[in-house]
Amino acid sequence: MSSARSETLRAAAQADLAHLRARYPAQFRTDAAARLRVMAVLGALIGLAGFGAWQFEMSPARILSGLGRLGSFAVLMLPPSPEGHLGTFVHALGETLGIAFLGTLTAAILAFPVALLAARNVVPNPFAHFAVRRGLDVMRSVDVLIWALIWINVVGLGPFAGMLAIACSDFGAFGKLFSEAIETCDRRPGEGVVASGGSALHRIRFGLISGVLPVLASQVLYFFESNTRSATIIGIVGAGGIGQYLTELIRVLELKQVAFLVLMILATVAAIDWVSTRLRRAIIGPAAR
């Protein structure tokens, strides 16, 4: 009985499909040119990947030959130990968190008014919009490590250079994300403000900002979590924080201390992720992740 029912349903589906093919033949016609273009693009990507693997001398043999050395390094890292430098490492970790916090906060504060200029529903002038967007693209295209090298030569070694590097790098990213959030904001609250006699500034203050503020706060929290890792990396080039100790200890093969620093960083990032996740949920609701 079940088999007969399945055959009936299959026959009905095939009849519907044949009817649709007859009624809309253009929708079912195979576009040979489009298929060739897709195959050409896939072939180009595969060829490019193969050329890159050959150029970089990638091979399983090299990976397998290095696994023994990797195992030796792992053994030398055990057990993780600060070896009398716990206070120094904790201070450096606090410096890293300070770099990430101040850099993220500075970037968010400076990027917010610029994001208003970059949003089409706030400044409709296409020339101003284009100029601001391209400026943000320039800031965002320079990696935080490059910004760190630039600021080290400007203000010298230390955490101040690291904070400025993160602020410059995040300024472009925040400007783009904030402006896109403002552009996608619901227009009805702003229209209600204007209809009740409010000015353009009132529309922005009570109709736009109040609607996008939870989203912006969530983005800032996420970037603070990410910048904690970035602050570790830029410390390697002398921009302060725990990274400068990490690179020196790796250079002199003090691997037990290296393992202890890595565990400190992992625990800190996990704690920040836990706290920021709950803050995001409190700001934008239980659906936040």
Side-chain angles (χ1 to χ4, degrees):
M1 186 70 179
S2 176
S3 176
R5 183 177 178 82
S6 298
E7 290 295 332
T8 303
L9 292 175
R10 186 179 296 108
Q14 290 176 351
D16 289 341
L17 181 59
H19 176 71
L20 290 173
R21 286 180 180 276
R23 188 172 182 180
Y24 305 104
Q27 305 301 322
F28 291 90
R29 187 179 298 117
T30 301
D31 190 347
R35 179 174 295 182
L36 286 175
R37 284 195 297 269
V38 171
M39 293 178 64
V41 171
L42 290 176
L45 291 175
I46 294 172
L48 184 62
F51 175 76
W54 172 77
Q55 192 71 19
F56 295 157
E57 300 179 358
M58 297 172 59
S59 68
R62 294 185 64 186
I63 297 176
L64 292 175
S65 65
L67 289 179
R69 291 193 297 272
L70 182 62
S72 300
F73 276 106
V75 171
L76 292 174
M77 286 183 172
L78 298 176
S81 172
E83 298 185 355
H85 299 94
L86 180 61
T88 302
F89 292 163
V90 171
H91 178 269
L93 182 61
E95 196 173 78
T96 298
L97 291 174
I99 292 170
F101 175 74
L102 291 176
T104 306
L105 183 64
T106 302
I109 293 174
L110 295 178
F112 182 72
V114 178
L116 292 174
L117 297 176
R120 292 185 179 90
N121 55 342
V122 177
V123 179
N125 189 312
F127 299 103
H129 175 267
F130 178 83
V132 175
R133 281 293 181 99
R134 298 295 75 78
L136 292 173
D137 289 343
V138 171
M139 298 290 291
R140 192 173 68 253
S141 63
V142 181
D143 188 75
V144 64
L145 196 60
I146 306 302
W147 280 117
L149 293 173
I150 293 173
W151 282 112
I152 284 172
N153 286 280
V154 174
V155 300
L157 297 170
F160 184 44
M163 185 272 289
L164 292 174
I166 289 180
C168 290
S169 177
D170 284 1
F171 175 78
F174 276 143
K176 176 180 172 60
L177 293 174
F178 288 0
S179 63
E180 290 178 349
I182 293 170
E183 287 180 346
T184 57
C185 182
D186 190 359
R187 298 180 180 180
R188 289 174 293 182
E191 293 173 352
V193 171
V194 174
S196 61
S199 64
L201 290 177
H202 290 147
R203 179 181 69 87
I204 296 173
R205 167 62 181 86
F206 298 103
L208 287 178
I209 296 178
S210 59
V212 300
L213 200 57
V215 178
L216 305 189
S218 176
Q219 292 172 345
V220 172
L221 287 171
Y222 174 77
F223 267 73
F224 171 58
E225 174 193 335
S226 176
N227 285 335
T228 303
R229 296 186 291 270
S230 298
T232 302
I233 299 301
I234 62 177
I236 293 176
V237 298
I242 204 169
Q244 58 187 359
Y245 293 98
L246 192 61
T247 184
E248 288 298 328
L249 291 171
I250 292 174
R251 186 176 291 114
V252 298
L253 296 179
E254 292 288 347
L255 298 183
K256 292 183 179 181
Q257 297 182 59
V258 170
F260 187 81
L261 287 177
V262 171
L263 289 177
M264 287 181 65
I265 295 169
L266 290 176
T268 302
V269 171
I272 292 174
D273 176 64
W274 185 84
V275 173
S276 64
T277 298
R278 276 143 187 81
L279 287 175
R280 285 197 296 270
R281 288 177 178 175
I283 291 171
I284 65 177
R289 292 290 183 268

